[in-house]
Amino acid sequence: MAVARDTFNRRSLGPTLNADVKQARVLMVGAGGIGCELLKDLVKTGFGEVHIVDLDTIDLSNLNRQFLFRQEHIGKSKALVAKEVAGAFNPNVKVVAHHANIKDSQFHVEWFRSFKLVFNALDNLEARRHVNRMCLAADIPLIESGTTGFNGQVQVIKKGVTACYDCTAKEAPKTFPVCTIRSTPSQPIHCIVWSKSYLLNEIFGTSEDQASLDLTENEDNANEIAELRKEAEALRKIRESVGTEQFPQMLFDKVFNADIARLVSMKDMWKSREPPKPLDYKTLMGQASEALARKDEIIKDGQRIWTLEENLVVFNDSLDRLSKRMLKLLATRSEGSPKPTINFDKDDEDTLDFVAASANIRSYIFGIEAKSRFDIKQMAGNIIPAIATTNAIVAGLCVLQSFKVLRGEYDKAREVFLTPFAPQRLLGTDRPRPPNPDCPVCSTFNTTVQVDLSRATLNDLVEDIVKEQLGYGEKEFALNSKAGLLYDPDLTDNLDKTLGELGIKQNGFITIVDEDDDDTFVNVVISIQEATLTDKPIKGLEVDKVPTIPRKPKKVIPIQSNGISQTNGNRATDGEAPIKDSKKRPRDDDGSPTAKKAKNNGDNEVVVIDDDIGTGAIEILDD
């Protein structure tokens, strides 16, 4: 007699949970390091239907840890290949692949609501925040996961029950002082940041997008900031020559000759360090004939550190490729649309080659060690080397936590931390943190409205939805979107504009902020769902489904302590009542503060007062 495929799952999980798993329709966002391991676990566990969303394609560097992919898959969609390979592990599981961006309009709130559970297996902050927000809007549980080298973490997120991804501030990307980047680089990363965040943006992007440069002006760097802006203007003139034969030399002469010569002229800057060496384009090109003949071979070899001449060849070739892309974008740009840009992507060979070659040429000028394109890809993409075993452990932990979610046992869920170098244990666990009442994302009230974006005006939203259906009435409130402030009592210019004209799109969010001091509503987030409506251009909530919006809790102003214990220097020992001050007038009622208890730390120097009324006084004893 043949044994059923899920016999051992049924024995391990129990018949009820096993049935829930087999019926569950789940979403997995990301099919990379964690995603490959997680998809394998989901399929082998027998989840009924698994949807995968990933925009990325398979790269050679993925093959050392993303085990679903092979050499023949390079260049193909991660989501589609993952479905094909993992689907064979268990034919009873339906695997659906989406080679797309999770932020696309097709993945709207209602689509998220069709899932029992969502798994995040992403590698970037912006996408994680988007999925977190969509799951909160859809009120669908999310299991968030991530790895950094040997460390990993798994977190269960459920609206109103646990903290969300944005309840705690996330570390901002590291910035570098502009003086170091522009004038005195001393490490390869300084040259890489210059090439990626400054030079590439000035030529093919937007000069304002310099998040990795610290442009804070002070008396020490004011001249350098001014010079930076002057050079940016010169570079904008050079970018007008994009696509011409003179373009590569014009750019080279500017950033690797003229700018360097200007730095060398500042004698005081080089008293204690070796000055940079300007390069001459024509001289270097005369030495690069051999490298030029081997151009294709050089570009394919990203593991080796290129020579100066080889870097020049790659520099010119990448500029040619990027110039052709820019000219094509300009030719297809519609009237009135913003000027197209090309931004750095670690998986974009054209931008990566440009950043690698530019950074290495600059490194040579300043006497800094050059790096291979492979190393530069890691550094420029802020990639911490991934460990296959870490991914596998974290994926397994995600599935274990999903069992608790399917049972609805959020009180038994755990935040799990993988810390192999911690002195205590490999896996550390903690109870899920409660939601942060001040979180701008999950402390809000969510609702959904269907609109015809081409017809519905902001006034329709304000009058029909906000004031009438949501009950704001005569309250003062403001409306915000991703683009900024749309409406408040002093800003009414946008009321007659359509939501489409205001940049509101499918899956967009509009936040209502109650500005009344009394009976203040929590922030309300409206999820915009585009629809073709025949009657009114905006469809509100059903009459029987109009929500009751929670109120913001009133802030309790803490009693400010002046640093002096309330016993006025009369200190009671353990077990004794506090000594009353005879100079104080007794209260008429019996509502005197609860007695405080002093705790001696054993050395008679510091006594911490347990204070029930919230002063939190610490008394320092002076013997």
Side-chain angles (χ1 to χ4, degrees), residues 446-467:
N446 294 82
T447 189
T448 301
V449 172
Q450 292 184 334
V451 300
D452 185 334
L453 292 174
S454 62
R455 294 195 298 138
T457 65
L458 184 63
N459 189 64
D460 293 328
L461 183 70
V462 168
E463 296 295 333
D464 297 349
I465 303 299
V466 181
K467 289 186 177 181

Side-chain angles (χ1 to χ4, degrees), residues 329-402:
L329 289 171
L330 290 170
T332 56
R333 179 179 58 156
S334 58
E335 186 177 353
S337 61
K339 188 174 181 179
T341 60
I342 300 175
N343 299 312
F344 177 80
D345 188 315
K346 61 184 175 60
D347 296 316
D348 181 339
E349 290 187 2
D350 298 343
T351 58
L352 178 60
D353 284 348
F354 176 78
V355 168
S358 301
N360 277 338
I361 294 173
R362 186 169 174 83
S363 293
Y364 177 87
I365 289 171
F366 284 88
I368 300 170
E369 174 191 9
K371 292 288 183 179
S372 68
R373 183 177 61 194
F374 179 82
D375 290 335
I376 290 174
K377 179 178 181 178
Q378 289 186 317
M379 298 168 77
N382 299 317
I383 301 172
I384 297 174
I387 309 299
T389 305
T390 307
N391 292 334
I393 295 172
V394 166
L397 292 170
C398 288
V399 175
L400 290 176
Q401 294 302 311
S402 73

Side-chain angles (χ1 to χ4, degrees), residues 484-509:
L485 181 65
L486 300 177
Y487 166 86
D488 71 7
D490 298 322
L491 176 63
T492 58
D493 298 346
N494 295 326
L495 286 174
D496 293 332
K497 296 180 180 178
T498 66
L499 296 180
E501 290 174 336
L502 294 172
I504 307 300
K505 300 178 181 178
Q506 162 76 337
N507 287 343
F509 293 97

Side-chain angles (χ1 to χ4, degrees), residues 66-220:
Q66 299 174 21
F67 75 100
L68 295 179
F69 310 139
R70 297 289 183 270
Q71 186 82 25
E72 61 269 22
H73 297 142
I74 291 176
K76 296 182 180 179
S77 162
K78 284 186 176 181
L80 296 175
V81 173
K83 170 199 170 181
E84 177 187 342
V85 176
F89 296 166
N90 187 347
N92 295 331
V93 175
K94 180 181 179 181
V95 182
V96 181
H98 305 270
H99 178 57
N101 190 331
I102 191 61
K103 295 163 71 175
D104 289 348
S105 60
Q106 60 181 307
F107 305 124
H108 44 75
V109 172
E110 288 302 320
W111 185 77
F112 271 83
R113 284 200 183 106
S114 68
F115 296 100
K116 186 75 173 178
L117 176 62
V118 177
F119 294 89
N120 248 359
L122 292 161
D123 63 354
N124 74 85
L125 191 65
E126 185 180 357
R128 279 181 165 134
R129 283 181 163 154
H130 176 79
V131 174
N132 174 64
R133 190 164 189 173
M134 295 298 286
C135 287
L136 291 170
D139 198 13
I140 296 298
L142 167 67
I143 296 182
E144 170 64 46
S145 62
T147 61
T148 305
F150 289 99
N151 298 323
Q153 181 180 357
V154 174
Q155 177 187 3
V156 175
I157 297 172
K158 173 64 175 172
K159 182 173 177 62
V161 180
T162 71
C164 80
Y165 185 74
D166 283 309
C167 274
T168 55
K170 301 297 182 288
E171 184 179 354
K174 185 175 180 181
T175 62
F176 299 90
V178 65
C179 292
T180 300
I181 298 302
R182 295 290 294 119
S183 303
T184 57
S186 58
Q187 301 173 25
I189 187 63
H190 296 157
C191 297
I192 294 168
V193 170
W194 172 85
S195 179
K196 168 193 168 185
S197 298
Y198 174 71
L199 187 60
L200 180 66
N201 279 330
E202 289 294 346
I203 302 302
F204 298 105
T206 54
S207 60
E208 293 79 15
D209 184 16
Q210 296 175 25
S212 291
L213 300 179
D214 181 1
L215 293 175
T216 305
E217 186 171 324
N218 54 52
E219 59 184 17
D220 295 327

Side-chain angles (χ1 to χ4, degrees), residues 40-52:
K40 174 257 296 179
D41 291 345
L42 294 174
V43 169
K44 300 282 277 185
T45 306
F47 280 80
E49 185 174 335
V50 182
H51 285 244
I52 318 162

